[in-house]
């Protein structure tokens, strides 16, 4: 019997934002996954913050994440609950930034390091939290 | 060399399973450890004129001076940390002694998890713009992020769960002889492999204990130490800090690939060995912060006891057992004795170098103590027995 990774209900999750993370959540609200890149030296950074760690510029531009790959993951097993799978999703087209996000609705057998993932969403308040399937 | 600092007193409360220290308050536990440490050193408690505390779970210096009637402080510093700085209290104390800022420095660490369970710290934290991704992904505590590092290590190097099991089994074996230890029952590999998975690849037995307790250490100059009650234990090297490529570690999870499946400690290790003028081969006993068993394996690599990626076979060869090439945590560590955020490791290092440890390593001269693989500052120390 193959187990399926669960999708947690995030509808009541409050997403606090600041000036530097708000563009991320504004984009996800529209169903777009964008990641921050320095407008001066083009280094990607994570999390979004006020300075480029490579050149200290504050000029930021938001780029499409591109295809994500599983970098690592864990299977959390709580008593009497279906497994949940927080994972690190790496984006080679965005400077190998890694986003921590859940892999949902997916057979545990299919979840391996290096697997390509598909973008999906979980509704959270006024925006969407990125989740992934395979 | 007389400026070299030395540990001359140790004091500890009993170690309690989570919550069983009540109704004592945390400050009461701390006070009892401090009084015991001064007694052990043969110094009046009023001789203490400096404090080097571990900020997590400890007491504000002003409150301590009020509570215990310490007449004055000439040095008062807390090292910021989430596990990483624990051994850094020795570095702060060393600085105070070496510069002459203070003469008798108290190092402190404590935790009382009845009021704050560290295992679900993420869940207890208010969501912030920086950490909301972790809570949205379902991460509740450090163990689950360590599982991400661990799986990566297994993927890159073929490390097996049996290696993590060996770390837990060795710690149980060491704890079996110790009255202070909470988990003393020997463990078999079959039992380990059958334990429930909490955050695959980490099972329940890979997580450290949740306990209450306080420990205190008295540090003074090696010159003054000669006239005191105990055989001094010299601080041969101490360091706190870390590299940007480790950063906030499991709060960041964007460490470069070459650093991800590690403990970030290679930077600390290089500084310590250079300061002490020795190599890993000179270390007789390693007290490695063992909040999660796979991180012991990765520290063995970072501290140079085996090459990167070879921690699994190294551990499985029996190298970390009593009698192995580098005995690790002969007190049972956080996995089996008690978890007091690294402080029990300092105590064991001192007892090993005094020659009074329960599982004594014969003729131990150098002991390595590490702070936790956690956000910067990381920390460590190399202690040396008095000749």
């Amino acid at each position: 019997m193959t187990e399926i990774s669960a999708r947690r209900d995030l509808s009541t999750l409050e997403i606090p934002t600041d000036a530097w993370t708000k563009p991320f959540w504004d984009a996800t609200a529209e169903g777009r996954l964008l990641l921050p890149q320095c407008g001066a030296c083009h280094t990607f950074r994570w999390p979004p913050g006020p300075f480029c760690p490579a050149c200290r510029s504050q000029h930021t531009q938001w780029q499409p994440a591109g295809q994500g790959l599983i970098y690592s993951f864990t299977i959390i097993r709580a008593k009497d609950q279906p497994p949940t799978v927080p994972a690190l999703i790496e984006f080679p087209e965005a400077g190998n930034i890694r986003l921590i996000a859940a892999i949902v609705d997916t057979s545990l057998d299919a979840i391996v390091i290096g697997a390509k993932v598909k973008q999906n969403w979980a509704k959270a308040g006024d925006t969407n939290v990125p989740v992934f399937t395979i | 060399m007389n400026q070299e600092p030395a540990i001359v007193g140790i004091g500890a409360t009993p170690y309690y399973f989570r919550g069983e220290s009540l109704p004592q308050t945390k400050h009461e536990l701390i006070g009892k450890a401090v009084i015991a440490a001064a007694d052990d050193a043969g110094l009046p408690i009023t001789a203490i004129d400096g404090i080097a505390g571990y900020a997590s779970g400890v007491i504000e210096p002003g409150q301590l001076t009020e509570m215990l009637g310490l007449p004055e402080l000439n040095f008062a510093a807390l090292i910021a940390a989430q596990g990483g700085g624990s051994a850094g209290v020795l570095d702060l104390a060393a600085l105070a002694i070496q510069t002459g800022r203070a003469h008798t420095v108290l190092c402190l660490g404590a935790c009382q998890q009845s009021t704050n369970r560290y295992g679900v710290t993420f869940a207890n934290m208010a969501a912030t713009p920086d950490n909301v991704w972790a809570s949205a992904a379902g991460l509740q505590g450090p163990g689950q992020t360590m599982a991400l590092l661990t799986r990566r290590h297994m993927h890159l190097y073929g490390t097996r769960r049996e290696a993590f099991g060996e770390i837990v089994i060795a710690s149980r074996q060491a704890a079996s002889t110790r009255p202070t230890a909470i988990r003393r029952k020997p463990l078999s590999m079959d039992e380990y492999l059958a334990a429930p998975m909490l955050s695959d690849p980490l099972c329940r037995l890979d997580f450290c204990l949740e306990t209450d307790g306080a420990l205190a250490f008295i540090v003074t100059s090696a010159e003054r130490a000669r006239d005191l009650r105990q055989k001094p234990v010299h601080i041969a090297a101490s360091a706190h800090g870390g590299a940007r490529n480790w950063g906030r570690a499991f709060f960041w999870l964007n460490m470069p690939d070459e650093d991800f499946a590690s403990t970030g400690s290679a930077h600390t290790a290089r500084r310590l060995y250079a300061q002490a003028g020795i190599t890993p081969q000179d270390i007789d006993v390693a007290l490695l912060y063992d909040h999660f068993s796979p991180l012991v394996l990765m520290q063995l690599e970072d501290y140079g006891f085996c090459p990167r990626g070879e921690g699994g076979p190294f551990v499985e060869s029996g190298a970390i057992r009593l009698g192995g090439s580098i005995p690790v945590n002969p007190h049972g560590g956080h996995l089996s004795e008690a978890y007091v955020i690294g402080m029990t490791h300092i105590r064991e290092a001192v007892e090993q170098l005094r020659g009074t440890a329960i599982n004594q390593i014969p003729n131990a001269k150098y002991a390595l103590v590490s702070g936790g693989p956690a956000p910067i500052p990381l920390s460590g120390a190399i202690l040396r027995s008095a000749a």
Side-chain angles (χ1 to χ4, degrees):
Chain A
M1 189 191 78
T2 311
E3 287 180 286
I4 303 293
S5 63
R7 181 186 276 268
R8 293 160 64 238
D9 177 13
L10 300 178
S11 56
T12 59
L13 180 76
E14 282 187 37
I15 308 272
T17 63
D18 60 26
W20 297 96
T21 65
K22 190 168 181 297
F24 177 90
W25 297 108
D26 287 347
T28 60
E30 298 167 0
R32 293 183 301 147
L33 185 64
L34 302 183
L35 296 173
Q37 181 187 37
C38 175
C41 78
H42 308 299
T43 302
F44 282 87
R45 66 176 175 274
W46 191 260
F51 301 98
C52 169
C55 77
R56 270 60 70 182
S57 167
Q58 291 199 272
H59 181 206
T60 306
Q61 55 199 25
W62 290 80
Q63 302 285 3
Q67 175 67 56
L69 307 170
I70 297 177
Y71 182 80
S72 195
F73 63 96
T74 181
I75 303 166
I76 297 179
R77 295 181 180 279
K79 203 162 180 269
D80 302 326
Q81 286 175 30
T84 57
V85 182
L88 280 170
I89 309 298
E90 187 168 65
F91 295 95
E93 295 158 49
N96 292 322
I97 275 179
R98 292 175 215 133
L99 196 63
I100 179 78
I103 297 176
V104 301
D105 308 337
T106 299
S107 163
L108 296 191
D109 296 343
I111 302 175
V112 293
I113 288 178
K116 289 183 179 178
V117 293
K118 294 178 195 150
Q119 180 65 63
N120 205 300
W121 302 103
K123 192 78 191 148
D126 299 334
T127 185
N128 297 302
V129 168
V131 295
F132 296 87
T133 62
I134 289 179
Chain B
M1 286 306 283
N2 286 344
Q3 288 302 312
E4 192 169 76
I7 302 171
V8 296
I10 56 179
T13 64
Y15 306 145
Y16 303 90
F17 193 75
R18 170 169 54 81
E20 292 179 0
S21 63
L22 295 171
Q24 297 170 100
T25 64
K26 189 170 68 186
H27 290 172
E28 182 179 354
L29 296 175
I30 289 168
K32 288 176 177 175
V34 175
I35 291 166
D39 281 351
D40 183 61
L43 285 167
I45 196 168
T46 50
I48 294 168
D49 71 340
I51 293 177
Y54 180 53
S56 171
V58 84
I59 186 170
E60 293 298 328
Q63 196 159 10
L64 187 74
T65 60
E66 273 183 40
M67 180 174 78
L68 291 178
L70 306 182
E72 60 181 29
L73 292 183
N74 298 313
F75 183 85
L78 301 184
I79 185 159
Q82 285 138 333
S86 53
V89 295
L90 298 178
D91 197 31
L92 295 183
L95 286 170
I97 297 299
Q98 285 163 343
T99 59
R101 287 292 171 90
H103 297 288
T104 310
V105 180
L106 171 69
C107 295
L108 263 185
C111 63
Q112 193 178 44
Q113 295 207 45
S114 45
T115 47
N116 177 19
R117 293 186 69 179
Y118 296 171
V120 288
T121 44
F122 297 3
N124 290 341
M125 279 177 193
T128 68
D130 273 346
N131 72 15
V132 68
W133 287 278
S135 46
L139 292 177
Q140 297 172 334
Q144 298 167 351
T145 58
M146 300 296 180
L148 298 170
L149 274 58
T150 301
R151 186 179 299 281
R152 192 75 194 165
H153 198 279
M154 297 169 86
H155 171 78
L156 290 174
Y157 308 119
T159 312
R160 312 189 312 159
R161 282 193 64 217
E162 283 81 352
F164 313 143
E166 163 63 14
I167 289 165
V168 184
I169 290 165
S171 115
R172 286 289 194 288
Q173 185 196 29
S176 67
T177 58
R178 295 178 58 82
T180 49
I182 305 260
R183 282 188 190 149
R184 270 177 278 174
K185 193 165 160 273
L187 180 75
S188 73
M189 187 61 81
D190 286 345
E191 288 171 310
Y192 170 82
L193 292 172
M197 287 302 223
L198 292 188
S199 187
D200 191 336
L202 267 59
C203 71
R204 186 169 55 81
L205 298 174
D206 293 312
F207 285 63
C208 72
L209 290 158
E210 293 180 288
T211 48
D212 301 346
L215 288 95
F217 307 92
I218 307 284
V219 178
T220 189
S221 68
E223 183 180 14
R224 186 155 164 250
R226 284 203 301 266
D227 302 326
L228 294 176
R229 179 182 290 165
Q230 302 289 352
K231 180 182 173 185
V233 170
H234 295 223
I235 302 176
S238 59
H240 72 274
R244 189 266 174 183
N245 282 354
W246 186 249
R248 290 177 304 137
F250 44 77
F251 291 101
W252 185 29
L253 297 170
N254 271 263
M255 299 84 94
D257 192 42
E258 59 270 28
D259 296 295
F260 185 86
S262 84
T263 66
S265 306
H267 174 266
T268 310
R270 277 194 300 275
R271 295 175 63 205
L272 289 177
Y273 292 131
Q275 214 183 107
I278 64 169
T279 71
Q281 285 68 44
D282 297 311
I283 302 290
D284 298 299
V285 55
L287 292 310
L288 301 180
Y289 195 104
D290 53 337
H291 45 2
F292 302 99
S293 56
L295 279 293
V296 172
L297 186 153
M298 295 184 224
Q299 284 180 87
L300 287 164
E301 297 176 0
D302 285 347
Y303 276 99
F305 296 108
C306 63
R308 175 69 61 88
E310 295 180 19
F314 182 73
V315 163
E316 290 192 60
S317 76
I320 67 168
R321 297 266 182 143
L322 298 167
S325 63
I326 180 66
V328 171
N329 297 349
H331 59 327
H334 291 336
L335 290 166
S336 299
E337 188 193 37
Y339 174 82
V340 193
I341 43 175
M343 298 298 141
T344 59
H345 294 58
I346 300 176
R347 176 186 181 181
E348 176 69 6
V350 172
E351 291 182 353
Q352 287 286 346
L353 299 178
R354 283 181 178 178
T356 61
I358 289 175
N359 295 317
Q360 181 66 44
I361 309 301
N363 305 313
K365 184 177 178 192
Y366 284 107
L368 170 70
V369 185
S370 73
I376 289 174
L378 302 178
S379 64
I382 293 172
L383 308 184
R384 190 185 69 240
S385 65

